[in-house]
Amino acid sequence: MDLKILSLATDKTTDKLQEFLQTLKTDDLTDLLQSQAVKGRAVGAFLRAIFKGSPCSEEDGALRRSQVYSCCIQLIESGELQQEVASAIIGLLMLEVHHLPGPWLVELASEFVSAIREDRLVNGKSLELLPVILTALATKKEVLTCGKGDLNGEEYKRQLIDSLCSVRWAQRYVIQLTSMFKDVHLTTEEMDLVVAKVLAMFPKLNLQEIPPLVYQLLVLSSKGSRRRVLHGIIAFFSELDKQHSEEQSGDELSELVAAPADELYHVEGTIILHIVFAIKLDCELGRELLKHVKAGQQGDSSKSLYPFSIALLLSLTRMQRFEEQVFDLLKTSVVKSFKDLQLLQGSRFLQTLVPQRTCVSSMILEVVKNSVHSWDHVTQGLIELGFILMDSYGPKKTLDGKAVETGSSLSKMTNQHACKLGANILLETFKIHEMIRQEILEQVLNRVVTRTSSPINHFLDLLSDIVTYAPLILQSCSKVTETFDCLSFLPLQTVQGLLKAVQPLLKVSMSVRDSLILVLRKAMFASQLEARKSAVAGFLLLLKNFKVLGSLSSSQCSQSIGVTQVQVDVHSRYNAVANETFCLEIIDSLRRCLGQQADVRLLLYEGFYDVLRRNSQLASSIMQTLFSQLKLFYEPEPDLLPPLKLGACVLTQGSQIFLQEPLDHLLSCVHHCLAWYKNRVIPLQQGDEGEEEEGLCRELDDMLESITVRMIKSELEDFELDKSADFSQSTSVGIKNHICACLIMGVCEVLIEYNFSISNFSKSKFEEILSLFMCYKKFSDILNEKAGKGKTKMTSRTNDSLLSMKFVSDLLTALFRDSIQSHEESLSVLRSSNEFMHYAVNVALQKVQQLIRRGHVSGPDGQNPDRIFQNLCDITRVLLWRYTSIPTSVEESGRKEKGKSISLLCLEGLQKTFSAVQQFYQPRIQQFLRALDVTSTEEEGEEAGVTVTQRATFQIRQFQRSLLNLLSSEEEDFNSKEALLLIAILSTLSRLLEPSSAQFMQMLSWTSKICKEYSLEDASFCKSLMSLFFSLHVLHKSPVTLLRDLSQDIHGQLGDIDQVDIEIEKTNHFAVVNLRTAAPTVCLLVLSQAEKVLEEVDWLIAKIKGSVNQETLSAEVTPEAASSQAVPSSPLMEKAIIMQLGTLVTFFHELVQTALPSGSCVDTLLKDLSKIYSTLTAFVKYCLQVCQSSRGIPNTVEKLVKLSGSHLTPLCYSFISYVQNKRNNNPKRTEKEKAAAGTIMAKVLRETKPIPNLVFAIEQYEKFLIHLSKKSKVNLMQHMKLSTSRDFKIKGNILDMVLREDEEDESEEGSVLGLFEARSNISSLNPFKLQVYVK
């Protein structure tokens, strides 16, 4: 039968074939077709024969074709056919689809929909036919009858797609169905339906099935709906990222795809590759991605950026056309995130409204962590982003070659956070990815070498972290040794930082160490001074870090960088022996430096003590070197005065004088090395070697003793210096005398410390110390006197004391706290000298200032953070006891000397130590406060339970009592300096209080009480007190009501601008506001605070505007999701904004009626008025935006508009007139003022500029109010009195008068200057007067 059909098909005519096919029953034909298909024999020819004998023009033929189609689809889905046969059948069916009549196409398509709905498909192979059927159906123009009415082909296709997207898709066919749609022509609405359906299937699929589905979806997006596709993919994976992070933090379990993190990140990596590949083929997709992320940035960036979207953006940077845009976008996001965080941390008002979200920086670091899962396409972008952040936001300014990074407030600045993030990105990427380690290291080293003029501390810190993490890996890196070749050309600070950073590497790599030593040896003999200094610094660093066999363990070593982190045995016998030879060679090289310039010698003397402590085996060599050097400048004759050859320390070259030998530093080095050597090394020595070492120590002791005695005996004339000597910096003699005087002062300080250390509280030694101090003081007084008379200041070197911080701490403790009976008599010698105690406290103050300014102090252990911290604790404890035991008022009552009292100096020292500890030792605040509490009897367990807030409160109360005592004293006894210091200390300590604690509230209440009850006319004290009050208040709640009360007090004190007609009622909320302090002090403070409030309100408005934009975007992209989402926080924010603005309007309402003095108060007020109108305008624009949606405008907006219209705008115009009249009424300028015409012109322009800005801001506000009135159908303008008429009227009499003055000025001065001044007069007298008529 099948053969007959095939033979009939070969005839030219189809009549016989048609007749034969009509004789066959449907079942016979389908059986025959099934038999042919299963056997795979010429099924194609058989199908063509059937189609040839079944013309669509005849009803039977069309019916037969339809039956064949149904049969073939069932066969294909059965899975019984071979792959080639099934493909051949589908190919034939596709070719014949277009011949089918519309009704049969509808029937076939409906069968497919039913099969999908009922999940009757077995392998889904037949779905390849569906797009052809839908395409053919869309071409049918005739009307097709169906259950819902008569539709044409295109309309029926739309209905079928709608039905297809509304039915449930079996999980195994989602990819095939999505792929099928790419071959169908889809309208925008149809495309949106399909995309929405596919995206809705994401959560129902296994993770491994999503990448191919995303690929098909991206192919489909070429037809349109790109943004919706990207939004859906990013939203899905961002939600998965969020839920996985919640799982890790243990918050809640994921309700979506519960999959292991590794699997999720691998899938995300694959999908990112798919998206990037799609963007390469379709750039419009990339532009849509950037638009999507930027739109999200308008609101909360943490909502639009998740690890997945950040990784996607970083992958996009591999395409040059998007690279710059993406990095700019990420930089903006990072900075915005940190700024938002900083703003939130500083305002309790914002914290109550806006929940703190995950910072973008933590998400970027999450991307770094996730990139271990084969995200190679992300790593290059991460590296570039890290360096961009470090380059853009690293420290910019320098001080003494160092970056200025001081101040606790600066440590929280956005730029520093961004720079630190960049370093963290690079470090974490370095740890995870071995392939790119070389690149990161090279880029860091390149920046270290090339950026000699800008600070590079952040790069050195990163380098140190990198080397510490992987010293063994880096030993084969040639870039490090290449960098060493540039050491001679780098600044000293850079060289020191670089060598400290690579210390761990030097310990494990002999080749790198040898390369460095060669470079340093060459540098030692370089012609440039900086190169030689770098060589000395490098050698000293090596000596400190390479321990010699038998050296004492040195837990106190100040330079322990890398020692504990390097997991190799660098202390074995072989290494130690090699190190000893190596170190002795270095010391031999360094001895040659003792014949070089003073700066080189100075480095050597400052470094020897740390070397000695680290390598006690080198002690003999170092002590011999120092002994030999000291002998060169020591007079051995016991009766010869002075005992030192000061002339040999100064070098004369022609007319220039230089310091050749820093003798004071040499002596200091000898003293500290000797003290350590006697205490730590000599007791362990045995035999002949010990006797030899003891002999050297005795010789040095004798020398120092002899120098002490003879220095005390020496008079000014013995040094060839007296009060009549020349100390000016302009003559060679003066310079020489000044250098010698500084050396003598330094020697005296060193001898004071030496004698104290060996005194054992001997009275005679203390008398010698006092005599040495008097010698020091004589020279100090002379230099200060000469410096006061001369025009040039003395060099800063005279300011640095050579006393060590440890000694200062011990000396202060002995002077003020030592109550041991046996010490009483000897200490009374020192205590009897008020000047000496004054000097001791002054040096302590200087040491703390050094720490704040440089980050370290001079002298031994000056760069050891632990030792410095311990000394700070001891010094602070003594100063605190001294100040609280002997108040300033008691001390000053019987005081005759000029200058600050000891108590006041102690208070100044306390203020600086508290600041220094917060700046450098924030994590150790608890330990610091515990050290101050000398009366504490708590056990260790109890101490752990005492919080920082509780300890800080104890200290705060002491200073509160002191301030109250000061305020309660008579006004003539009020010490302004002491009060300012107390306020500064209270401000510093108050930062340690937890804002939610009862102690913080007590501090706030106390400060408020002081402001309300005490009236002082000291403007500086008032400013400090009010600043403290505001800083506390903003952490409790918004200060707007406080500002309103203060503005009423200012108004009451200064009077009204219309003093004749209005008598104002004086309010007295705060006694601190009086006639003396109201303006400019308090006025400028409240205006500054109002600016901060306006900044917060602007930020909130931008936030809710961004939320509305995101809602709109979501509605466009996913209407069904947007309709179910609400934003409950917006009405709360709107209400808060309206409350803030309303109270600020009343605040400005008071100030614009106040008779403020001309100058900064008026200028600042005019600028701030412009700002509040700009903020009001921004809020009205937001209301316009909201009004377009169904929500309408908030009910309270009308009240705010009414308040601004009645209480502010009219008064602003009155205030403008008041300001102009006040300036016009100024007396005529003198000749001297006329000579300074340029200055006057600048002042006039500066003073008048805010007025037009304010008028423009008011007009803009009114303009958008009109728009809002039209949109909202609420007449908001009924509350506004429009200033509609502004006529320029030429007043002839004023013009004539000004022109006459113009002619007089020209005749007097004969220059263009007179003409300019006349024009200024015209401007100030305003003949073209701006008349404002208020209707």
Side-chain angles (χ1 to χ4, degrees), residues 230 270 325 348 434 511 540 621 643 661 740 788 810 953:
L230 288 169
T270 307
Q325 296 176 63
R348 180 66 182 162
E434 291 184 18
S511 60
L540 286 171
S621 298
E661 175 65 46
C740 289
D810 294 342
T953 304

Side-chain angles (χ1 to χ4, degrees), residues 664-665 668 672 746-747 749-750 753 800-804 847 858:
D664 46 355
H665 285 272
S668 175
H672 291 297
V747 167
E749 284 192 315
V750 174
E753 183 169 348
D800 287 347
S801 172
L802 284 176
L803 301 181
S804 66
K847 292 290 177 185
S858 57

